[in-house]
Amino acid sequence: MRDDPRLPSTPAFWRSPLRGPWFTSVLGLVLLVGITVLFVTGLVSYAAYNPDLSPVNDKTPDKGLLGFYLFAWPTHPHWLYRLNQGVHVTLGVTLIPVLLAKLWSVVPRLFTLPPARSLAHALERISLLLLVGGGLFEFVTGVLNVQLDYVFPGSFYPLHFYGAWVFFAAFVAHACLKLPAALRALRHLRDEPGSGALGQRREEPGSDLVSPRPAAPTVSRRGALWFVGGGSLLLFVTTVGQSVGGPWRRTALLAPHGGPDPGSGPNGFQINKTAAYAGISAAERSAEAWRLVVTGRTGTVRLSRADLLQLPLHSSALPIACVEGWSTSDQWWRGVRLRDLAALVGYDGDDPPDVFVESLQRHGAFRRAALRANQVADPRSLLALYVNGEELSPDHGHPARVIVPAAPGVLNTKWVARLTFGDL
């Protein structure tokens, strides 16, 4: 049975002349760098939510030791989250052709028999299975989240977080096992001239990736790498615009927010969640009905929008950046500083505490959020009433919304109803 060329467990079943140590090693080294950057930027993105601050920010409450690296998220520079998440999402999409090519190049190893010839071989097979399964899981859930297509069961945050740790553990184990062989393959073949009109490289004999009866080549391995690189470049060009913002958004054809900004005028920039989707009615946003409830050390105050306009107003130029990788250019916000609101309820404006923010929105994720004291203290952190010289539109959070430098978009709560200051 193992010698039957019709079975995938037989080396003769896999006839492509492209497979071999050199092709696999080049792809593997690209992924070694790229996936490491993806993992680090993913962890940094998770830290930006300040999950240790309050249970409402923690989407992975059972993480245990996996949260060892968490730190207080800074507000400087104000584009920090925009850059980090833009790199994470754009690089992840760009690496898809490389990942698929790498999986294709090693697929014969998934069918080899016997399953384990030694302890080292068994460890390699286990790491390979976890690597393939984990890699597909992370890239598929990530792409679906970027496309706002939540077809997977459960919340994206714990699925992607725990999946990343499983995948990266298998990735590290596999890299430790295979990196020496990959480097040897590249050194061995670096100076070896190609053979044949298509420039096919001669691989070391006996490699389990080399077909014993290869089909006639139609493209060289270098040509195949150019094809993979071209696919990655195409995905990069049609994705990166959503992170750069401005007119470049029009080039992000494959991104969910890659078209022209919605609407026009001062409020004509991207949103994720509309007032209608959040169930925010015009009646509860009206001047007669809406009041901001601010609670702190000295009690509670209730402020209408007219009351807020009587307080000192300040302006900040800040973007909105979301976990899906899209971001706006800097918008000009105007409103009351969060630290000034803290001062209304008994706190030193220069040393305010954390704040718990609640929205008029009654259902759905991030209708409540917590901000750290350093975020409240930043003079650019506002309860915004205007944007780009005009009142906030309903979809941008009228009558008032939070805007904080370097914070993920979901922590910039819209339709704010209550602020509770104090240590969380």
Side-chain angles (χ1 to χ4, degrees), residues 336-348:
V336 181
R337 287 174 174 170
L338 293 182
R339 68 186 193 183
D340 291 344
L341 292 170
L344 291 179
V345 287
Y347 295 98
D348 184 349

Side-chain angles (χ1 to χ4, degrees), residues 27 30-31 89-102 139 224-240 254:
L27 295 172
V30 172
L31 289 175
V89 171
T90 302
L91 180 60
V93 173
T94 301
L95 285 178
I96 289 175
V98 183
L99 176 71
L100 294 178
K102 179 66 161 63
F139 276 82
L225 287 178
W226 277 109
F227 179 76
V228 173
S232 290
L233 179 61
L234 178 63
L235 289 178
F236 174 81
V237 170
T238 53
T239 301
V240 70
L254 299 183

Side-chain angles (χ1 to χ4, degrees), residues 210-221:
V210 178
S211 174
R213 55 185 195 98
T218 57
V219 64
S220 69
R221 291 191 178 94

Side-chain angles (χ1 to χ4, degrees), residues 346-422:
Y347 295 98
D348 184 349
D350 293 326
D351 187 25
D354 308 326
V355 65
F356 183 61
V357 186
E358 298 175 79
S359 172
L360 289 173
Q361 181 182 345
R362 296 174 183 83
H363 305 286
F366 295 106
R367 64 188 183 276
R368 300 177 296 170
L371 298 173
R372 288 192 184 274
N374 68 303
Q375 293 173 312
V376 177
D378 193 295
R380 297 167 296 177
S381 297
L382 303 175
L383 181 73
L385 306 173
Y386 297 91
V387 63
N388 299 323
E390 186 175 282
E391 280 193 9
L392 295 169
S393 68
D395 290 342
H396 280 300
H398 183 273
R401 70 169 297 162
V402 165
I403 187 74
V404 175
V410 291
L411 298 186
N412 293 314
T413 308
K414 297 192 287 188
W415 314 294
V416 174
R418 180 183 292 268
L419 299 172
T420 303
F421 291 93

Side-chain angles (χ1 to χ4, degrees), residues 29 34 50 74 82 132 167 178 188 195 198 221 230 232 284 292 306 311 345 351 361 395 405:
L29 290 176
N50 288 323
R82 179 185 184 185
V132 171
F167 169 58
K178 303 304 293 183
H188 176 74
S195 60
L198 294 175
R221 291 191 178 94
S232 290
E284 60 188 333
L292 174 68
L311 298 175
V345 287
D351 187 25
Q361 181 182 345
D395 290 342

Side-chain angles (χ1 to χ4, degrees), residues 147-172:
Q147 297 295 329
L148 304 178
D149 192 1
Y150 303 109
V151 297
F152 38 79
S155 170
F156 165 77
Y157 295 94
L159 289 174
H160 206 64
F161 178 79
Y162 294 125
W165 279 104
V166 172
F167 169 58
F168 196 71
F171 178 75
V172 170

Side-chain angles (χ1 to χ4, degrees), residues 20-326:
W22 182 82
F23 187 69
T24 298
S25 297
V26 171
L27 295 172
L29 290 176
V30 172
L31 289 175
L32 178 63
V33 175
I35 288 177
T36 300
V37 173
L38 280 181
F39 185 68
V40 172
T41 54
L43 293 184
V44 170
S45 176
Y46 177 65
Y49 286 78
N50 288 323
D52 279 349
L53 176 61
S54 174
V56 298
N57 288 21
D58 191 359
K59 300 302 178 183
T60 55
D62 300 320
K63 61 185 177 297
L65 294 177
L66 297 182
F68 70 92
Y69 68 94
L70 295 176
F71 55 94
W73 187 249
T75 57
H76 299 277
H78 72 274
W79 40 258
L80 178 60
Y81 186 77
R82 179 185 184 185
L83 173 64
N84 181 84
Q85 200 61 18
V87 169
H88 184 74
V89 171
T90 302
L91 180 60
V93 173
T94 301
L95 285 178
I96 289 175
V98 183
L99 176 71
L100 294 178
K102 179 66 161 63
L103 295 179
W104 174 86
S105 74
V106 298
V107 70
R109 287 178 174 164
L110 298 178
F111 296 91
T112 57
L113 295 174
R117 297 188 296 268
S118 64
L119 178 60
H121 184 243
L123 292 174
E124 179 186 342
R125 293 295 297 277
I126 292 172
S127 71
L128 185 62
L129 290 173
L130 290 174
L131 186 67
V132 171
L136 290 175
F137 178 83
E138 285 298 285
F139 276 82
V140 168
T141 56
V143 169
L144 289 175
N145 182 67
V146 168
Q147 297 295 329
L148 304 178
D149 192 1
Y150 303 109
V151 297
F152 38 79
S155 170
F156 165 77
Y157 295 94
L159 289 174
H160 206 64
F161 178 79
Y162 294 125
W165 279 104
V166 172
F167 169 58
F168 196 71
F171 178 75
V172 170
H174 189 76
C176 291
L177 290 169
K178 303 304 293 183
L179 184 59
L183 294 176
R184 283 197 304 272
L186 291 176
R187 283 197 299 266
H188 176 74
L189 297 167
R190 180 176 54 197
D191 301 321
E192 186 176 297
S195 60
L198 294 175
Q200 286 294 124
R201 288 182 175 273
R202 294 192 297 273
E203 302 288 4
E204 57 183 271
S207 170
D208 60 346
L209 295 176
V210 178
S211 174
R213 55 185 195 98
T218 57
V219 64
S220 69
R221 291 191 178 94
R222 289 189 182 276
L225 287 178
W226 277 109
F227 179 76
V228 173
S232 290
L233 179 61
L234 178 63
L235 289 178
F236 174 81
V237 170
T238 53
T239 301
V240 70
Q242 70 165 350
S243 301
V244 175
W248 294 103
R249 291 172 61 81
R250 302 176 188 274
T251 68
L253 303 178
L254 299 183
H257 307 287
D261 288 336
S264 59
N267 279 276
F269 55 95
Q270 188 59 49
I271 58 170
N272 256 14
K273 188 184 301 180
T274 65
Y277 175 87
I280 310 298
S281 68
E284 60 188 333
R285 291 188 294 100
S286 68
E288 295 76 19
W290 182 82
R291 295 295 183 271
L292 174 68
V293 180
V294 184
T295 301
R297 179 185 295 156
T298 58
T300 298
V301 298
R302 295 171 60 86
L303 302 168
S304 66
R305 201 169 190 277
D307 294 330
L308 290 170
L309 291 174
Q310 296 303 310
L311 298 175
L313 301 183
H314 300 270
S315 298
S316 300
L318 299 172
I320 294 177
C322 279
V323 68
E324 295 91 2
W326 68 264

